Amino acid sequence: MTTSLAREKKIKTNGIWLNVAEKGDDGGPLVLLLHGFPETWFSWRHQIDFLSSHGYHVVAPDLRGYGDSEFLPSHESYTVSHLVADVIGLLDHYGTAQAFVAGHDWGSVIGWSLCLFRPDRVKGFISLSVPYSPRDPNLKPSKFSKTFGDGLYITQFQKPGRAEAAFAKHDCKIVMKKFLLTTRTDFMVAPPGTEIIDDLEIPSKIPEWITEEEIQVYADKFQKSGFTGPLNYYRAMDLNWEILAPWEGSKILVPTKFIAGGRDIGAKETMEYVKGEMFKSIVPNVEVVVIEDGHHFIQQEKAKQVSEEILSFFNKLRTTDFFTFWARKMDPDAVKSTLSNLAFGNVLAAAARDYKKEVLANEKAQSSNPVNEEVDLDELMDDPELEKLHADRIAALKREVEKREAFKRQGHGEYREVSEGDFLGEVTRSQNVICHFYHKEFYRCKIMDKHLKTLAPRHVDTKFIRVDAENAPFFVTKLAIKTLPCVLLFSKGVAIDRLVGFQDLGTKDDFTTTKLESVLIKKGMLSKKKKEEDDEDAEYQESIRRSVRSSENLDSDSD
């Protein structure tokens, strides 16, 4: 094995254990290599050696559910939000702000999503075999797959247990040979009534780029781990489609290179797409390299050529500051679009920069304390200073009305439900936002709803919203929401604090609205109301109307 010196270890990231292989100087630039289906970190063995010998610190994980990494049974644990979070966790573990990333097959999908969600963490990205494709708002992946019939491998992978049962009829090494050694260039559609694994053929002679021993390495790992984890990536495709809705129409602005074989699966259609205008318009800084006689598992089949392509691209970017490159090369509107789509954690602060001009100044209304003393009303009627105070008060009331109306146009003053797709815009367009992540069947969530609904119209300068956690897996993951109810507190787009369960409210279900209000005031999310303001709330609108009417007829004796 050429990777005999690669170090393997387990790393806890995003709540799970990932097995990683690494090699090279710890002080060198970090390169992260993401494998595809059905592989492990071992598929990058040639690149690990090559890149580490050129000064890079190379890390290749077994993705979740693969090899020696942790397996989770539910397909809902394999969305791009989970997978990107795993990658971010690895970058944080190695203490790097930015890394070079390369992905193959499903590793490419993860890499593209990383570039979309967190371009600030990617120095440069290389995709092998799978180009970035825009989200079709009208067609879920499962429906698109069905247009090819039941024989398409992706369709057959959807039903839990179906592909596992078909694979189990063969020796694990045979399964690996059928996938790794395929030379098919169609979309891998089996004839009616046939499973794709039965339709794939094994060449009479093992090609020179892989050995029986190397195939056995894969077979041993999958014999131990099984195929459910890897197949769950396909079963989460519709969930990914839902998660990616906020990024519909966004461009990939990270410097990228796309490498594919001219004889890859679906090669004809892929080549037409990546050489066309659409691909270059949504990935404006991409280099396209086609290895004409290459097939799907190209980093193994054409190891030397692919390794050199990766090295030359990363070397070119090694001394280039990403944000300088970005600002110089990108369309300003596209840059703004991507910044506004950054989606989680403190990255909301970056999005907030694009909305600063839209955020209303949350100024405290000017008020003067009335003086309670006996006066001669006739003298006051002709007092010019009193007239000025009266006019100033009317103007202040008008400004208060305008401010409240502006807040209401932003959705303040009521407790509203928002979707995952609208979440980012809601929390970044207002200065203070209180967001309740809830579950519709949780009793305590209903209690929290009742109190927040009461507070919303009392504190119009703060936005009150709620999000169904069951329908927002992306932000639930990114904001590390583990207990419901969970009330997140946002200031200028940044999550500054949270209420988890009823821990801050006495831990009992019978806390009062006043108690919750007091906690939120202490946390700086609500302005403390004066007693007279509380007393006047019910008559507020009528008092405004009276004041405005009097301002329109200042000469009237009715004053």
Side-chain angles (χ1 to χ4, degrees):
M1 302 296 174
T2 58
T3 54
S4 58
L5 297 180
R7 308 181 298 275
E8 287 190 70
K9 65 179 181 181
K10 296 288 182 66
I11 295 175
K12 188 70 172 290
T13 171
N14 192 30
I16 68 170
W17 288 98
L18 293 185
N19 179 65
V20 304
E22 62 178 307
K23 191 173 182 180
D25 183 359
D26 289 349
L30 184 67
V31 172
L32 199 61
L33 303 176
L34 309 174
H35 68 79
F37 175 90
E39 298 170 287
T40 64
W41 71 261
F42 188 67
S43 65
W44 295 104
R45 57 195 178 278
H46 305 295
Q47 288 73 37
I48 291 173
D49 277 351
F50 185 80
L51 295 173
S52 63
S53 70
H54 285 80
Y56 288 90
H57 179 198
V58 187
V59 174
D62 287 337
L63 300 179
R64 61 166 58 197
Y66 279 90
D68 293 318
S69 287
E70 190 171 338
F71 162 74
L72 297 95
S74 172
H75 73 281
E76 295 180 354
S77 298
Y78 294 83
T79 66
V80 287
S81 60
H82 293 94
L83 301 169
V84 169
D86 291 350
V87 172
I88 295 296
L90 289 177
L91 299 186
D92 291 342
H93 173 83
Y94 285 101
T96 181
Q98 285 185 316
F100 295 102
V101 181
H104 172 250
D105 190 76
W106 267 104
S108 290
V109 175
I110 299 170
W112 289 121
S113 299
L114 176 65
C115 292
L116 201 60
F117 299 161
R118 292 299 302 269
D120 58 308
R121 304 302 297 268
V122 188
K123 185 77 170 177
F125 174 57
I126 295 178
S127 169
L128 276 62
S129 302
V130 177
Y132 176 66
S133 298
R135 177 185 184 273
D136 186 335
N138 302 311
L139 190 62
K140 286 188 176 183
S142 60
K143 290 185 177 180
F144 174 75
S145 298
K146 288 179 180 179
T147 62
F148 292 87
D150 183 67
L152 182 70
Y153 74 102
I154 294 176
T155 302
Q156 294 188 359
F157 288 177
Q158 295 300 307
K159 184 178 179 180
R162 176 179 176 176
E164 291 93 327
F167 292 0
K169 296 177 182 179
H170 302 272
D171 178 80
C172 199
K173 191 173 183 180
I174 295 297
V175 174
M176 297 313 304
K177 285 184 176 181
K178 281 175 171 280
F179 280 115
L180 293 174
L181 307 183
T182 184
T183 57
R184 289 177 61 162
T185 60
D186 65 348
F187 283 112
M188 290 180 61
V189 180
T194 305
E195 296 298 310
I196 191 65
I197 194 65
D198 298 327
D199 191 50
L200 293 174
E201 298 179 352
I202 299 175
S204 57
K205 182 182 179 182
I206 300 297
E208 294 181 356
W209 58 267
I210 196 167
T211 66
E212 289 280 358
E213 291 76 17
E214 288 172 327
I215 296 174
Q216 190 64 51
V217 171
Y218 289 111
D220 291 343
K221 291 298 181 184
F222 281 96
Q223 185 66 48
K224 177 183 175 182
S225 66
F227 289 94
T228 298
L231 290 167
N232 277 341
Y233 286 64
Y234 294 91
R235 293 163 185 163
M237 290 174 70
D238 281 355
L239 291 176
N240 291 339
W241 180 83
E242 295 174 0
I243 289 169
L244 289 169
W247 289 269
E248 188 174 304
S250 297
K251 296 181 180 181
I252 300 292
L253 302 179
V254 173
T256 58
K257 175 182 278 190
F258 176 70
I259 305 173
R263 299 177 183 176
D264 200 345
I265 298 166
K268 181 178 180 295
E269 291 76 9
T270 298
M271 293 304 109
E272 290 177 354
Y273 171 62
V274 299
K275 293 178 180 180
E277 292 302 317
M278 177 181 288
F279 182 60
K280 293 178 182 178
S281 69
I282 59 178
V283 191
N285 294 282
V286 64
E287 298 178 23
V288 176
V289 176
V290 178
I291 302 175
E292 294 299 341
D293 58 343
H295 295 87
H296 186 66
F297 298 93
I298 197 165
Q299 78 270 37
Q300 299 178 75
E301 181 189 18
K302 302 293 182 180
K304 185 175 184 297
Q305 187 172 350
V306 169
S307 296
E308 290 175 346
E309 290 286 354
I310 293 174
L311 180 66
S312 65
F313 184 68
F314 287 168
N315 277 347
K316 181 176 65 175
L317 296 174
R318 190 165 177 172
T319 57
T320 302
D321 177 72
F322 170 66
F323 290 104
T324 300
F325 175 90
W326 197 4
R328 184 176 70 249
K329 297 286 286 186
M330 309 300 167
D331 172 27
D333 291 335
V335 173
K336 180 178 179 180
S337 173
T338 292
L339 283 175
S340 66
N341 281 328
L342 297 176
F344 50 83
N346 288 334
V347 180
L348 288 169
R353 289 197 298 269
D354 291 313
Y355 292 113
K356 277 186 177 179
K357 293 182 179 179
E358 300 175 22
V359 177
L360 292 173
N362 187 19
E363 300 175 351
K364 293 183 178 179
Q366 297 295 322
S367 63
S368 57
N369 292 327
V371 179
N372 184 21
E373 53 183 301
E374 295 183 7
V375 294
D376 187 330
L377 293 179
D378 290 334
E379 291 180 5
L380 288 178
M381 292 295 293
D382 297 323
D383 189 337
E385 290 186 9
L386 182 60
E387 290 292 337
K388 182 178 184 303
L389 289 173
H390 182 67
D392 289 345
R393 179 57 178 161
I394 292 172
L397 289 170
K398 285 184 176 180
R399 288 195 298 269
E400 184 65 18
V401 171
E402 292 170 356
K403 187 170 70 171
R404 287 193 173 220
E405 289 303 315
F407 277 133
K408 288 182 178 180
R409 287 194 296 271
Q410 290 188 355
H412 292 233
E414 59 180 332
Y415 184 46
R416 297 179 296 112
E417 175 108 6
V418 302
S419 67
E420 185 177 56
D422 294 331
F423 172 76
L424 179 63
E426 292 285 354
V427 299
T428 55
R429 286 192 176 95
S430 294
Q431 181 160 319
N432 289 334
V433 180
I434 296 173
C435 179
H436 176 205
F437 278 80
Y438 77 100
H439 190 287
K440 57 182 175 291
E441 295 179 4
F442 287 11
Y443 175 71
R444 283 194 159 191
C445 290
K446 295 177 181 179
I447 293 175
M448 184 62 74
D449 279 340
K450 180 188 73 171
H451 293 299
L452 293 175
K453 185 176 181 179
T454 301
L455 289 175
R458 285 171 50 82
H459 296 274
V460 182
D461 51 348
T462 296
K463 181 184 290 184
F464 288 74
I465 59 175
R466 69 174 191 161
V467 175
D468 187 341
E470 196 174 26
N471 295 325
F474 180 83
F475 288 108
V476 167
T477 300
K478 296 313 156 194
L479 296 170
I481 297 171
K482 301 183 183 300
T483 302
L484 299 179
C486 183
V487 178
L488 271 71
L489 312 180
F490 291 89
S491 177
K492 297 180 180 179
V494 179
I496 60 170
D497 207 343
R498 65 181 62 198
L499 304 181
V500 179
F502 295 166
Q503 293 176 11
D504 295 289
L505 302 163
T507 71
K508 296 182 179 180
D509 294 354
D510 59 351
F511 66 91
T512 64
T513 301
T514 301
K515 174 64 175 177
L516 176 60
E517 183 180 42
S518 177
V519 170
L520 293 172
I521 289 173
K522 288 180 180 179
K523 292 181 178 293
M525 296 304 297
L526 302 179
S527 299
K528 186 174 182 179
K529 279 180 166 287
K530 297 179 181 179
K531 186 177 186 304
E532 58 265 32
E533 289 176 326
D534 289 333
D535 294 339
E536 290 173 358
D537 270 353
E539 300 178 354
Y540 180 81
Q541 292 299 332
E542 180 58 31
S543 68
I544 296 297
R545 286 194 292 271
R546 287 199 304 268
S547 299
V548 171
R549 283 198 300 270
S550 67
S551 70
E552 293 172 349
N553 188 14
L554 292 177
D555 294 329
S556 171
D557 290 336
S558 64
D559 285 355

